[in-house]
Amino acid sequence: MPAIAVIGAQWGDEAKGKIVHFLCRRADLCVRFNGGPNAGHTVVDAHGEARLHQVPAGALHPHCLGVLAHGVVLDLWALEAELAELAGQGRPPPRLLLSERAHLILPYHRRREEREGAAQALGTTRKGIGPAYADRAARRGLRLVDLFHPERVEERLRAEDGEEAAQVLAELLRLRDRFSPAVGDARAALAHALRAGQTVVFEGAQGTLLDLDWGTYPYVTSSPTTVHGIPWGTGVRVEFAAVVGVAKAYTTRVGAGPLPTEERGAVGERLRESGREYGATTGRPRRCGWLDLVALRYACAINGFTHLALTKLDVLSGFSELKVAVAYRWGGRRREDFPSSADELFHAEPVYETLPGWGEGIAGVRDFSALPKAAQRYVRFVEEFVGVPVALVGTGARTEDVIVRAEILGYT
Ligand code: GDP
């Protein structure tokens, strides 16, 4: 069965871009179904480092069609800039299909985000994503298809942009004409591809713990980030051959919200520097800490992961010992489960298990048996604790820096 879901298992930035790019080496379609240009998926290949915000990571392979399904919110200005940047790296233009039902992010969404203070309070990426999804739910959004019926667009822009409306409209119509060959019925194309037995990789943006419903509400993003976002954001029902959860070997988070295993001192600093933990979209330093297995087990339960990709294991080299959270303590009691309330999570203190570290660098290792015994033990501890096999282990930023432990559709 050729459908694979790739889902962030933590608070985003888990290296989904690299894992998706790896899994798409033989895929026909790569589909973004949620979020917008707040994603910052990094791929390092022969052309250099690509920072992808809207272009699906698989679409860097010339054989793979990148689909932006209707669940994403689309910033056409940003998409144009992103394509120009990729071209500047000498890459062939990605093949894209943009759902005509996708909602547009417009300049007034960014303004509203600043004005309403969400950017400051939640630490959002300031790209207008939240306001665009809010307009969609409030039934006053504009979709790509509306650009082919500009009267309604003009009316909305006049209400929002005042004197600048004419200029914004002219820009939008230019972008419409530029992208119109790529605009179409993404649901129908996807359903057809799945029926025809083509290999489809669904590329989640952000992570499970930022999901609108399953994340640490209200410190979340404004779309579904879990596997349940796939039917929501594409309109197709999929039998997945694999649902791959991507988790870093430690924990990071950008923006506000609870993070029980956060290390504010030397450990956090070291993870940040070794892991280059600065936002791909915003450049902000990420908050860093030990791996939280309570949170990861919860993400496994929400998504029904069949496999895990444990990324950036190489960043843990050189620590004499490594901690992993196996429970929380709050209200004087030990808790095994991830709470529904962010307030409770703010007060949760991690209960740690300490595992031996390893001194050797493991960058670029591609064979599990070539890892130091302590690194092997760390990986095994994770999979045994959460009950999901770690199929892929990341040992470096390049797409090929990966250990394949279990066969996923013959991707060995
Ligand atoms: P995404 O948004 O989930 O795709 O993750 P990001 O791209 O924001 O963050 C992952 C970062 O780690 C990027 O800079 C990647 O190039 C880099 N990276 C990915 N996998 C590995 C790995 O296994 N080891 C190391 N050291 N870096 C990695």
Side-chain angles (χ1 to χ4, degrees):
M1 285 295 297
I4 306 176
V6 180
I7 301 292
Q10 296 160 317
W11 278 280
D13 309 314
E14 300 95 342
K16 297 174 294 294
K18 168 185 151 173
I19 297 298
V20 167
H21 190 243
F22 177 79
L23 291 173
C24 283
R25 289 175 307 155
R26 285 178 236 158
D28 301 295
L29 283 82
C30 179
V31 185
R32 280 279 309 269
F33 58 89
N34 77 309
N38 50 345
H41 295 178
T42 312
V43 171
V44 182
D45 64 4
H47 289 278
E49 181 179 278
R51 296 244 169 137
L52 302 167
H53 303 288
Q54 297 186 94
V55 172
L60 294 187
H61 298 292
H63 60 264
C64 184
L65 176 69
V67 180
L68 293 171
H70 75 272
V72 305
V73 283
L74 202 57
D75 184 329
L76 293 176
W77 286 270
L79 182 60
E80 183 174 56
E82 186 173 331
L83 291 171
E85 203 173 309
L86 294 174
Q89 293 184 322
R91 296 173 186 275
R95 291 191 298 127
L96 294 178
L97 171 58
L98 313 180
S99 168
E100 58 203 8
R101 289 173 185 260
H103 278 253
L104 298 172
I105 302 173
L106 294 161
Y108 56 78
H109 290 127
R110 281 188 290 274
R111 286 204 302 271
R112 203 184 302 158
E113 193 167 15
E114 293 294 338
R115 203 170 55 235
E116 289 174 355
Q120 292 79 5
L122 296 176
T124 75
T125 55
R126 300 162 186 258
K127 306 255 172 216
I129 315 285
Y133 276 119
D135 274 4
R136 173 184 191 262
R139 294 163 294 181
R140 55 173 185 235
L142 291 173
R143 301 180 303 168
L144 200 43
V145 69
D146 295 325
L147 296 181
F148 297 90
H149 309 277
E151 316 74 44
R152 211 172 85 73
V153 179
E154 200 173 352
E155 200 178 300
R156 284 288 300 141
L157 292 177
R158 253 196 264 120
E160 295 280 355
D161 288 330
E163 286 178 4
E164 281 162 31
Q167 193 202 328
V168 177
L169 181 66
E171 275 286 295
L172 276 172
L173 296 182
R174 178 186 70 76
L175 289 162
R176 174 198 71 182
D177 293 342
R178 159 152 195 201
F179 287 113
S180 67
V183 177
D185 186 343
R187 186 210 60 80
L190 196 49
H192 177 79
L194 288 166
R195 264 200 313 276
Q198 296 196 318
T199 298
V200 181
V201 174
F202 294 87
E203 176 180 359
Q206 295 86 48
T208 297
L209 304 175
L210 292 172
D211 182 87
L212 185 55
D213 291 303
W214 300 108
T216 52
Y217 193 88
Y219 304 96
V220 293
T221 194
S222 32
S223 70
T225 61
T226 68
V227 72
H228 311 297
I230 295 175
W232 169 90
T234 63
V236 292
R237 205 197 60 172
V238 188
E239 303 290 338
F240 293 105
V243 181
V244 181
V246 187
K248 261 186 258 209
Y250 48 98
T251 303
T252 66
R253 175 170 199 158
V254 182
L259 185 61
T261 62
E262 180 167 15
E263 286 286 326
R264 291 197 169 83
V267 168
E269 192 54 38
R270 180 155 165 199
L271 289 171
R272 189 174 305 115
E273 290 313 313
S274 318
R276 301 202 324 172
E277 296 296 350
Y278 295 89
T281 299
T282 58
R284 289 179 293 180
R286 295 175 182 148
R287 300 158 63 194
C288 298
W290 299 116
L291 182 60
D292 185 339
L293 290 177
V294 183
L296 185 57
R297 185 171 56 193
Y298 168 79
C300 291
I302 297 294
N303 293 284
F305 292 140
T306 58
H307 305 77
L308 286 176
L310 193 66
T311 60
K312 303 187 92 162
L313 188 67
D314 53 300
V315 173
L316 295 183
S317 287
F319 282 96
S320 57
E321 49 185 39
L322 301 165
K323 292 188 193 173
V324 290
V326 293
Y328 299 139
R329 188 170 289 286
W330 90 85
R333 277 179 43 207
R334 181 184 164 108
R335 318 271 179 138
E336 310 293 334
D337 293 329
F338 193 78
S340 308
S341 155
D343 294 324
E344 289 178 7
L345 200 57
F346 270 123
H347 292 107
E349 280 179 27
V351 176
Y352 283 119
E353 182 113 1
T354 302
L355 301 175
W358 59 92
E360 306 91 314
I362 58 169
V365 169
R366 289 187 208 168
D367 181 0
F368 191 70
S369 63
L371 288 177
K373 286 283 173 289
Q376 295 185 21
R377 182 165 165 207
Y378 188 83
V379 174
R380 289 211 176 93
F381 188 93
V382 172
E383 64 189 357
E384 277 163 26
F385 187 91
V386 301
V388 177
V390 173
L392 302 171
V393 179
T395 57
R398 295 172 308 170
T399 297
E400 66 264 32
D401 295 335
V402 69
I403 296 169
V404 182
R405 289 184 68 218
E407 228 181 57
I408 297 179
L409 294 178
Y411 283 103
T412 54

